[in-house]
Amino acid sequence: MVAAPFALAYRRRQALLSARLAAQILQVWRDLARPDAIDTTWPALRSALAPIVTAARTESTTLARDFYLTTREQARRDAGLPPEPNFQTASDPPLRAEQVLRTLDVTGPVAFKQAVAAGRTPQQAIDAAGVRMTGSAQHLALQGGRQVMKKTIEDDEYASGWARVTDGDPCAWCAMLASRGPVYKSARTAGRDHDARFTGGAGFAYHDHCACQAVPSYTQDEDFIGVAEQLYNDWLEQTKWKSGRDAVNAWRRWWEAEGRDRYRAPALPGSSGTPASP
């Protein structure tokens, strides 16, 4: 069993990494991008940005490996089982330089030109492209840890599944997936193929600017993590007598109208409201 505080702390460490990456990307982009010469200045900009993304991905991978090995060893101790000092996590497939460069191209000068063509001022276009670039860069970087986690769980016979841990302001889809608790051993049941905005290459489905992380479970009797159990109760309430797409749509409507604010806002002292997820 992975204790909830450890799982939440792991998600926060990956989120801090992601935030630092975003700050670095935006600083380089805003300081060096020239709206009047975006094409001529872009090669140097791209050369400065690519190593930042690659380094962040390496760090994400290391965080995932350390977390998995630590929690797995603790779970085995709790179960009275001997340690397995030779156990190794899966490796993160090398991130191709072409993938990083292509992502930066599309979210940098291409996005800038699209924004200008749509009627935005050059500065507005720089800002809009910066948002797209940071989201895609974060996705590429965090995918390192997410892939290690997903592949290791799938290959590890001792792991029973995984759970999705969200931040304090998830979208409707992420909140729905987190409500399932520690039940996902197959990628399909984790949400892939159900929303075009999400890519399932890391086992879970993740979108740009997504702060969710997967954590392993080692028993068939794992506790819910964070607000997952309350999310599950709300899912049952909001989708009563519904199934399939009707249930998903009912959840989305409730989440955008009421649920998101309920989970995002801190509960008042002494109230029975649901606190935001750490």
Side-chain angles (χ1 to χ4, degrees):
M1 176 181 298
V2 177
F6 291 105
L8 295 172
Y10 168 69
R11 192 209 65 77
R12 285 194 293 269
R13 284 193 291 271
Q14 291 281 10
L16 286 173
L17 180 160
S18 182
R20 288 196 303 271
L21 171 62
Q24 290 175 296
I25 292 289
L26 284 175
Q27 181 176 356
V28 173
W29 172 246
R30 289 170 176 168
D31 288 351
L32 301 181
R34 289 181 52 190
D36 59 339
I38 197 71
D39 288 331
T40 57
T41 58
W42 177 242
L45 250 172
R46 187 173 66 166
S47 296
L49 291 167
I52 298 174
V53 179
T54 303
R57 185 179 176 109
T58 300
E59 185 178 351
S60 175
T61 299
T62 300
L63 287 174
R65 286 175 176 163
D66 291 347
F67 175 77
Y68 197 98
L69 292 173
T70 299
T71 56
R72 187 180 191 275
E73 181 179 351
Q74 182 62 54
R76 290 184 64 85
R77 281 202 301 265
D78 292 345
L81 297 173
E84 290 185 328
N86 295 325
F87 177 82
Q88 297 292 324
T89 63
S91 298
D92 175 33
L95 180 62
R96 301 190 315 276
E98 300 81 24
Q99 184 180 3
V100 178
L101 297 179
R102 184 170 60 252
T103 298
L104 292 173
D105 288 343
V106 171
T107 59
V110 172
F112 169 81
K113 293 174 184 178
Q114 289 174 339
V116 170
R120 298 193 181 188
T121 67
Q123 186 56 53
Q124 289 173 334
I126 287 289
D127 292 341
V131 171
R132 286 189 59 184
M133 188 184 301
T134 55
S136 294
Q138 289 170 318
H139 190 115
L140 277 180
L142 295 181
Q143 194 177 29
R146 287 164 172 166
Q147 286 192 354
V148 166
M149 191 67 70
K150 180 255 185 180
K151 188 66 166 61
T152 304
I153 292 169
E154 289 183 339
D155 293 345
D156 185 5
E157 293 183 358
Y158 188 63
S160 60
W162 63 67
R164 189 183 191 95
V165 183
T166 74
D167 66 359
D169 188 23
C171 68
W173 190 259
C174 289
M176 181 184 69
L177 294 177
S179 76
R180 301 305 189 250
V183 297
Y184 309 133
K185 185 72 173 183
S186 78
R188 184 173 180 81
T189 59
R192 192 195 300 180
D193 304 334
H194 288 282
D195 193 313
R197 295 186 304 116
F198 292 75
T199 58
F204 263 159
Y206 299 102
H207 56 86
D208 285 358
H209 301 289
C210 184
C212 295
Q213 291 292 334
V215 296
S217 55
Y218 300 104
T219 73
Q220 298 298 328
D221 189 28
E222 298 278 336
D223 291 334
F224 280 77
I225 296 173
V227 297
E229 187 168 13
Q230 182 59 42
L231 285 169
Y232 178 65
N233 291 334
D234 281 330
W235 166 265
L236 294 179
E237 177 65 25
Q238 300 304 321
T239 62
K240 190 181 299 182
W241 313 119
K242 297 180 179 66
S243 63
R245 180 56 58 182
D246 288 340
V248 173
N249 288 337
W251 174 260
R252 284 184 189 273
R253 288 192 296 269
W254 174 79
W255 186 258
E256 296 304 329
E258 177 184 349
R260 190 170 199 163
D261 287 340
R262 178 188 300 183
Y263 281 85
R264 183 165 46 196
L268 295 174
S271 74
S272 58
T274 303
S277 173

